[in-house]
Amino acid sequence: MFINRVRRERPAEMLEEVKGLTKWVPPPVKMTRSYVEENINRSRKRMDVAALDMLQFHWWDYSNPGYLDALKHITDLKEEGKIKTVALTNFDTERLQIILENGIPIVSNQVQHSIVDMRPQKKMAELCQLTGVKLITYGTVMGGLLSEKFLDTNVSIPFAGPPLNTPSLQKYKRMVDAWGGWSLFQALLQTLKKVSLKHGVPISTVAVRYILNQTSVAGSMVGVRLGLSEHIRDTNAILSLELDEEDMGSIAEASSQGRNLMDVIGDCGDEYRA
């Protein structure tokens, strides 16, 4: 609907600036050429485009090597002009390397990455640097936990702090607990608040900029709930914010006080495959 509205109401060149990221998470059935093509054609029809801008592929079970079959068919469809770029979602470093060694032209891997969850920098970023694959991050403001709203609060006491009333907040609160707990998280928020006051921007803007400055990170997906919390101005401010060496160092120091989540959870995406 959005793409067709742009087609109707905006200059033709505007359409080139609109990119759709299409995720495909198939069930663990046999990945035949016809099955893969049927699903891609369905997405092309739904998006009303001749070629998908980006196909982001996810696979649940590494013990089933069908993901390589699927990606080979996806690559063929790319060469036939039905997909412009091929990407991954929540693959770990080991499997990303296997996929690249099989000649699949991956441009990016979408992974959870925040000041609390620095796992992508422990192993994957090095492979990305060597191969040119980029990281697209999500969970970068942890569902809103990395904001003034949760500074100087105690969520362990019922009704004392802001409610953790979305699945996203509940998920990232568990990540905070794995990293080091609420008290340590408050120290991190205090550090971020100092940096945010220095630059005249919210904590969330600093949190995203810090991750965008990390090795191999090409972009960050900031969640919105249209009409409820859009944060358009705060998100625009990310693009002009420049964190200096002192800012980056103080945030890195606060981040390093917690546990290394590679040891606790495993590599990128392992939280979904435990």
Side-chain angles (χ1 to χ4, degrees):
M1 287 169 66
F2 180 74
I3 286 169
N4 280 323
R5 190 175 165 194
V6 172
R7 283 179 180 142
R8 286 194 312 270
E9 299 177 11
R10 299 296 182 97
E13 59 269 19
M14 174 69 78
L15 198 59
E16 278 302 304
E17 296 183 23
V18 178
K19 303 295 180 191
L21 277 59
T22 302
K23 194 167 281 139
W24 187 37
V25 188
V29 297
K30 189 167 177 61
M31 292 289 117
T32 62
R33 160 74 191 217
S34 60
Y35 180 81
V36 174
E37 186 169 20
E38 180 186 325
N39 279 273
I40 298 311
N41 284 341
R42 184 185 300 126
S43 284
R44 289 166 62 226
K45 186 176 180 183
R46 286 173 174 168
M47 294 286 281
D48 198 12
V49 293
L52 298 175
D53 290 320
M54 179 182 284
L55 194 283
Q56 294 181 292
F57 179 78
H58 179 78
W59 189 258
W60 289 111
D61 182 9
Y62 292 144
S63 68
N64 178 347
Y67 67 91
L68 285 173
D69 297 325
L71 284 164
K72 284 171 183 173
H73 295 314
I74 287 167
T75 301
D76 289 341
L77 291 167
K78 175 185 181 293
E79 289 172 0
E80 291 166 26
K82 292 186 175 183
I83 300 167
K84 292 181 182 175
T85 54
V86 181
L88 303 173
T89 303
N90 285 313
F91 272 80
D92 65 7
T93 311
E94 182 184 342
R95 254 55 59 156
L96 174 58
Q97 182 156 1
I98 290 169
I99 289 164
L100 293 170
E101 286 170 353
N102 274 269
I104 311 296
I106 299 300
V107 298
S108 65
N109 187 19
Q110 182 180 311
V111 292
Q112 183 173 296
H113 196 355
S114 68
I115 296 170
V116 165
D117 186 358
M118 294 294 290
R119 286 177 298 157
Q121 295 302 315
K122 305 298 181 187
K123 190 176 177 185
M124 185 168 292
E126 184 179 359
L127 176 61
C128 288
Q129 266 197 307
L130 289 170
T131 59
V133 173
K134 297 296 183 184
L135 299 174
I136 297 176
T137 75
Y138 68 92
T140 309
V141 293
M142 305 188 75
L145 286 179
L146 286 168
S147 69
E148 284 78 3
K149 184 177 180 180
F150 289 92
L151 180 64
D152 298 326
T153 63
N154 187 348
V155 295
S156 63
I157 302 171
F159 310 111
L164 301 174
N165 58 357
T166 69
S168 197
L169 283 169
Q170 292 159 20
K171 170 188 173 182
Y172 293 116
K173 169 59 166 61
R174 291 193 294 273
M175 202 60 61
V176 167
D177 294 341
W179 173 72
W182 197 251
S183 294
L184 197 59
F185 185 66
Q186 286 300 309
L188 174 61
L189 285 178
Q190 291 285 359
T191 298
L192 292 172
K193 185 62 182 173
K194 284 179 191 166
V195 176
S196 75
L197 287 171
K198 172 179 165 182
H199 294 280
V201 296
I203 285 174
S204 58
T205 299
V206 174
V208 178
R209 183 71 261 172
Y210 181 81
I211 296 301
L212 287 175
N213 287 359
Q214 301 301 310
T215 300
S216 294
V217 174
S220 184
M221 306 179 83
V222 178
V224 299
R225 292 179 294 157
L226 295 174
L228 291 173
S229 56
E230 298 174 10
H231 305 298
I232 293 169
R233 185 166 38 180
D234 296 346
T235 304
N236 271 334
I238 295 165
L239 303 175
S240 57
L241 176 61
E242 292 185 18
L243 297 177
D244 60 31
E245 203 173 312
E246 182 187 6
D247 301 328
M248 293 295 291
S250 66
I251 296 168
E253 174 63 25
S255 172
S256 69
Q257 297 306 304
R259 297 186 190 98
N260 178 356
L261 291 181
M262 283 285 280
D263 298 333
V264 180
I265 299 169
D267 202 357
C268 301
D270 282 1
E271 62 269 32
Y272 301 110
R273 299 181 177 90

